[in-house]
Amino acid sequence: QVQVVESGGGLVQPGGSLRLSCVASGGSFNLYTMAWYRQVSGKQRELIARIFSTGRTFYEDSVLGRFTISRDNTKNTVYLQMSSLKPEDTAVYYCNSVVSDYTWGPGTQVTVSS
């Protein structure tokens, strides 16, 4: 089954940090451009960071300088290190390839609140 499972979310205070993980099953993970997305209730899912198979990365302006995406192809895993978190980062976070090669996972909830 070609799927992903996200983990690592939780409740954190503004300015805090979290590290999200996403483990992929099946497919050709090492060849895919992988991405992290987030979705606020009632809004569309948005892509916030991507990492090519080469390791090159791109970020949306809203997270640039605060979030870092990385991957470990030996573990079929992509990570999102989040720092300097803000209340507006509160969302459900998902991972997938940029063309949705995987069945969408359940996501992991990140809540930034004091």
Side-chain angles (χ1 to χ4, degrees), residues 48-49 57-68 83 86:
I48 58 171
T57 58
F58 286 98
Y59 301 90
E60 292 301 305
D61 287 346
S62 60
V63 305
L64 183 63
R66 300 187 299 121
F67 291 9
T68 301
S83 60
K86 306 174 181 180

Side-chain angles (χ1 to χ4, degrees), residues 4-9 18-24 29 33-37 48-52 55-59 63 66-83 93-96 108:
V4 290
V5 178
E6 304 91 350
S7 64
L18 279 176
R19 188 194 195 203
L20 307 183
S21 299
C22 167
V23 179
F29 178 85
T33 297
M34 295 299 295
W36 280 97
Y37 304 74
I48 58 171
R50 71 187 76 184
I51 182 165
F52 290 85
R56 190 176 182 186
T57 58
F58 286 98
Y59 301 90
V63 305
R66 300 187 299 121
F67 291 9
T68 301
I69 187 172
S70 61
R71 67 193 297 163
D72 185 340
N73 290 338
T74 66
K75 297 180 179 179
N76 278 16
T77 301
V78 61
Y79 304 97
L80 187 69
Q81 177 68 48
M82 306 186 296
S83 60
Y93 285 71
Y94 302 87
C95 76
N96 209 325
T108 185

